Amino acid sequence: MGFKRWPAIIAGLVLLAVVVTVAAVWLSSDEPESPSATPPSPPTSPSPSAAAPSPSAQVTRQGVVFDFADGLERARVVGAAAGPLAVREESQTGGDVALVPRDGDFAVRFPGPCKKADEKQCPRAILDAGADAALNPRLRAFRWGAAVLMAPAETSKGSNVLQKGYSQFGTQFKLQVDGIEGKPSCVLAGPQRGKNVIHVAQAARGVADGRWHTVECARDGSVLRISVDGVPQGTAAVPAELSVENDAPLRIGGKGVAPGNDQFHGTVDDLFVAIG
């Protein structure tokens, strides 16, 4: 091969390399991007009004749901009790339970913390759903809970979310959020060897952070459980023979409206009791 032909050969090879490179780039532009090519976006924090997953939707056999879609005055009843359950607001000293918007529906807000030196002058308000016998689980497995929204400044020594019965006599089930850390707990109480005993399953984490959280209590045989946002948080042993039955009203936001009522400060939605 003569030396005069080398420049033409080299030029041809260079042109071929350019063509191959351009074709490869063009073909790769139609391929889907690898999942690892783009780092995942950082998770966005939910807004305070964002809906927390609601366990109340699981009330299918017997129980009651307070979702406030129809206002304060009625609750949706499932199972043995027919028709809506009447709900009555009770208040003292200017207390008020207010409907507030939540994701196209409503939640209810209770009176805020009171700084008055005389607790008797503090606003107090609750919802009373009456003493429906269908809400007595007796020895059956049952669950109860709510979606709660509390700011750090809305905690107190005792904040009752939902309760039926009293701990000092008879039987009781209750959901509360207690202490400056706002840790929720589930309570079962009843007679044991001649005196009333209180059984408490407390969550390891607080919920008073300005965001919605779901808290669920569950009694199954001799075990009482608490979950927060679907995550198990704690358990307590209860007597398997403890039959939870009383003629006390189901109350939301406090045990009554007298001073020292364990007033709940904050907002709640999707409260429920599910039996069986």
Side-chain angles (χ1 to χ4, degrees), residues 65-79:
V65 176
F66 302 84
D67 57 16
F68 308 110
D70 298 321
L72 292 175
E73 291 77 22
R74 62 171 60 190
R76 179 163 54 87
V77 175
V78 178

Side-chain angles (χ1 to χ4, degrees):
M1 183 183 299
F3 288 107
K4 292 182 179 181
R5 299 181 59 185
W6 275 108
I9 293 173
I10 293 172
L13 292 174
V14 170
L15 178 60
L16 179 61
V18 170
V19 170
V20 170
T21 301
V22 171
V25 171
W26 179 78
L27 289 172
S28 65
S29 65
D30 288 338
E31 294 179 357
E33 190 176 38
S34 169
S36 62
T38 303
S41 301
T44 57
S45 298
S47 67
S49 64
S54 174
S56 67
Q58 301 173 24
V59 182
T60 56
R61 296 182 62 184
Q62 179 177 322
V64 60
V65 176
F66 302 84
D67 57 16
F68 308 110
D70 298 321
L72 292 175
E73 291 77 22
R74 62 171 60 190
R76 179 163 54 87
V77 175
V78 178
L85 187 69
V87 180
R88 182 179 72 254
E89 179 182 353
E90 295 184 1
S91 63
Q92 277 192 11
T93 330
D96 181 59
V97 180
L99 281 172
V100 294
R102 180 182 179 226
D103 301 303
D105 212 324
F106 295 101
V108 293
R109 180 166 180 77
F110 291 89
C114 177
K115 298 181 179 180
K116 293 183 179 180
D118 185 0
E119 185 187 1
K120 295 179 181 178
Q121 302 304 314
C122 290
R124 298 180 293 276
I126 67 167
L127 296 176
D128 187 317
D132 197 309
L135 297 178
N136 286 323
R138 299 179 180 86
L139 289 173
R140 290 171 290 177
F142 75 112
R143 299 177 295 109
W144 66 102
V148 299
L149 172 66
M150 296 180 73
E154 292 176 327
T155 59
S156 65
K157 182 180 178 180
S159 296
N160 288 2
V161 179
L162 179 154
Q163 75 175 73
K164 188 175 190 299
Y166 303 96
S167 61
Q168 300 303 314
F169 57 90
T171 60
Q172 178 197 65
F173 64 86
K174 179 169 71 168
L175 167 61
Q176 60 190 4
V177 182
D178 290 343
I180 193 170
E181 295 179 324
K183 290 183 177 180
S185 59
C186 303
V187 177
L188 280 181
Q192 187 175 349
R193 291 190 290 273
K195 66 176 183 178
N196 259 43
V197 178
I198 303 171
H199 310 277
V200 181
Q202 186 176 59
R205 51 172 285 200
V207 295
D209 57 5
R211 302 183 185 281
W212 281 103
H213 297 279
T214 55
V215 184
E216 178 176 320
C217 307
R219 185 264 176 98
D220 191 356
S222 60
V223 181
L224 173 64
R225 297 183 176 86
I226 183 170
S227 301
V228 177
D229 297 329
V231 179
Q233 289 285 308
T235 63
V238 298
E241 66 274 13
L242 175 58
S243 179
V244 182
E245 181 178 6
N246 58 66
D247 59 0
L250 180 69
R251 286 175 168 165
I252 299 168
K255 60 185 178 184
V257 292
N261 70 330
D262 291 336
Q263 180 69 57
F264 179 80
H265 309 294
T267 307
V268 299
D269 195 9
D270 293 326
L271 298 100
F272 72 97
V273 178
I275 300 174

